[in-house]
Amino acid sequence: MGAYILRRLLLIIPTMFGIMALSFTIIQFAPGGPIEKIIADLSGQSSSATDRISGGDTDFSQSDKGSSGEGAIQYRGSQGMDPEFIKELEKQFGFDKPPLTRFGIMVWDYLRFDFGESFYRDTSVIDLIKEKMPVSISLGIWILFLSYGISIPLGIKKAVEDGSTFDVWTSGVIVIAYAVPGFLFAIMLIVFFAGGSFYNLFPLKGLVSDNFSEMTLFNKIIDYFWHLTLPLISLSLAAFATTSLLTKNSFLDEIRKQYVQTARAKGLNERQVLYGHVFRNAMLIIIAGFPGAFITAFFTGSLLIETIFSLDGLGLLSFRSIFDRDYPVVFATLYIFSIMGLIISLVSDLLYTWIDPRIDFEARDV
């Protein structure tokens, strides 16, 4: 097993290189970019563009001073931008170098986990990710606990009582929960419980209250979960439904196999049959979906929920960075997410061998 783990860890290197090379190549051919976006903003006399570049080393406000007031900027979008101005922008963003040179610099920096600084925010990318991480970790960890901690026992009970009244009505609830989009359910929760048209029981913004630092430890815990209640309910619906039905169907397939009948014939009770024989076989398909569930819960599944509940996490950060063409943040988040996904995939394989020792990845590779 040690050799297999070492090979998987070494395989991360070429895999990550391929992911970054492909992403970098796509970006080169994608229409638009940070420079084009700034030029478009300047041509439209947008103040946001001036704010975005104000943190750079070059003073771009000197291009023209108009007669309407001292320091006023006359953007010349209809006449075309000054070539020197464009060159200064390219130098500031690093686009004055050939693509291969830029890619080589990026690879070397990323090997040292040096992600540089955001194009539009006056902070390093790693500090920006650390700032947003608590929201994503909070949502991701508790969603996984809820979806797996409730769905697996529920799926097992539904499989054991297949066709019963309990199975029928819980299936109805699960189907309805799966059919309702999470963001729509979030809006409904806001209307009913967050100061909409009925009750004002839960907060609508942030992960904690403004006076969080002044609270006692017990009150901090209560305040933390008070803010998370509605977002977690909204996010866990789809995962809850999917995992429950997947668990039930997986256990049903195993319960109907011949080895279960043989175990019962040997005098084992239902609990021994279920958790001693069926469980480890039925759980393999659940474990197979764990890496995807992990990445989705932490990074990709909470964009709308973060927006609706004003939670500034990694999902919202990634979306805004793509929209703003903030390439350092885009590539850094892709790099971190990809590494975590590959490591979680390895952990998933190790869980296979823990649940079912008959699985031998080293023997398979031979």
Side-chain angles (χ1 to χ4, degrees):
M1 182 57 68
Y4 172 76
I5 295 175
L6 180 60
R7 286 197 298 272
R8 286 291 298 272
L9 291 176
L10 292 176
L11 187 62
I12 290 177
I13 298 175
T15 303
M16 289 302 306
F17 182 84
I19 291 173
M20 300 309 294
L22 180 61
S23 303
F24 186 85
T25 303
I26 292 174
I27 288 296
Q28 302 311 303
F29 294 98
I35 294 178
E36 289 81 358
K37 183 173 178 58
I38 287 179
I39 291 175
D41 289 340
L42 290 173
S43 300
Q45 300 186 9
S46 171
S47 60
S48 62
T50 307
D51 295 337
R52 285 169 180 163
I53 61 178
S54 60
D57 298 331
T58 306
D59 182 11
F60 298 123
S61 62
Q62 62 183 359
S63 55
D64 280 313
K65 291 186 178 181
S67 58
S68 59
E70 185 177 356
I73 300 175
Q74 295 293 328
Y75 300 137
R76 300 175 297 172
S78 59
Q79 303 174 13
M81 288 293 176
D82 186 351
E84 292 299 322
F85 178 81
I86 303 299
K87 288 181 181 179
E88 292 290 349
L89 281 177
E90 291 177 347
K91 184 177 180 180
Q92 179 181 348
F93 291 120
F95 292 122
D96 56 330
K97 302 179 180 65
L100 286 179
T101 303
R102 287 189 280 117
F103 179 71
I105 294 174
M106 184 182 72
V107 170
W108 172 244
D109 289 340
Y110 279 26
L111 287 174
R112 298 178 288 121
F113 285 89
D114 179 7
F115 303 114
E117 292 192 358
S118 167
F119 281 166
Y120 307 128
R121 300 173 177 89
D122 189 19
T123 182
S124 66
V125 173
I126 194 66
D127 289 339
L128 192 60
I129 292 176
K130 288 179 181 179
E131 179 186 340
K132 313 300 182 183
M133 188 70 78
V135 171
S136 296
I137 289 179
S138 296
L139 292 175
I141 287 179
W142 295 116
I143 289 169
L144 286 177
F145 274 126
L146 286 173
S147 61
Y148 279 82
I150 298 176
S151 301
I152 291 176
L154 177 60
I156 294 174
K157 184 173 179 60
K158 285 173 63 62
V160 172
E161 301 184 15
D162 183 41
S164 66
T165 303
F166 172 81
D167 179 46
V168 172
W169 74 261
T170 52
S171 294
V173 173
I174 289 173
V175 169
I176 294 174
Y178 184 78
V180 178
F183 74 90
L184 185 61
F185 194 76
I187 295 174
M188 184 183 71
L189 290 176
I190 290 174
V191 171
F192 279 94
F193 302 110
S197 302
F198 295 89
Y199 303 100
N200 189 12
L201 302 178
F202 295 95
L204 191 55
K205 181 180 180 180
L207 191 61
V208 293
S209 299
D210 294 335
N211 61 336
F212 183 78
S213 59
E214 303 172 1
M215 298 180 181
T216 63
L217 178 60
F218 178 77
N219 288 334
K220 285 182 177 180
I221 295 174
I222 297 298
D223 182 76
Y224 171 74
F225 284 105
W226 182 47
H227 282 75
L228 278 178
T229 299
L230 298 187
L232 287 180
I233 293 175
S234 304
L235 274 172
S236 60
L237 285 179
F240 170 80
T242 302
T243 309
S244 296
L245 294 178
L246 186 62
T247 303
K248 175 192 173 182
N249 293 332
S250 179
F251 271 79
L252 278 178
D253 289 340
E254 294 298 323
I255 288 174
R256 293 165 180 168
K257 291 183 178 179
Q258 183 62 43
Y259 75 89
V260 175
Q261 303 299 327
T262 303
R264 288 171 176 165
K266 290 181 179 180
L268 298 180
N269 58 43
E270 286 299 314
R271 185 175 183 82
Q272 290 174 322
V273 171
L274 189 63
Y275 293 101
H277 294 76
V278 175
F279 183 82
R280 65 182 184 183
N281 294 324
M283 284 300 295
L284 292 178
I285 191 172
I286 309 300
I287 294 175
F290 180 78
F294 179 88
I295 296 300
T296 300
F298 271 80
F299 306 116
T300 62
S302 58
L303 172 59
L304 289 174
I305 301 302
E306 288 181 12
T307 303
I308 292 172
F309 290 100
S310 299
L311 297 172
D312 196 4
L314 289 176
L316 194 56
L317 172 65
S318 300
F319 174 77
R320 287 174 175 170
S321 300
I322 294 173
F323 183 79
D324 290 336
R325 307 297 196 274
D326 196 348
Y327 291 154
V329 179
V330 172
F331 282 118
T333 52
L334 174 64
Y335 183 79
I336 294 173
F337 297 171
S338 299
I339 287 181
M340 292 191 67
L342 292 171
I343 293 176
I344 292 300
S345 179
L346 174 59
V347 172
S348 176
D349 287 346
L350 297 180
L351 285 175
Y352 275 129
T353 62
W354 177 64
I355 289 185
D356 191 348
R358 296 172 299 175
I359 298 176
D360 189 350
F361 289 106
E362 290 190 270
R364 184 192 66 179
D365 290 341
V366 176

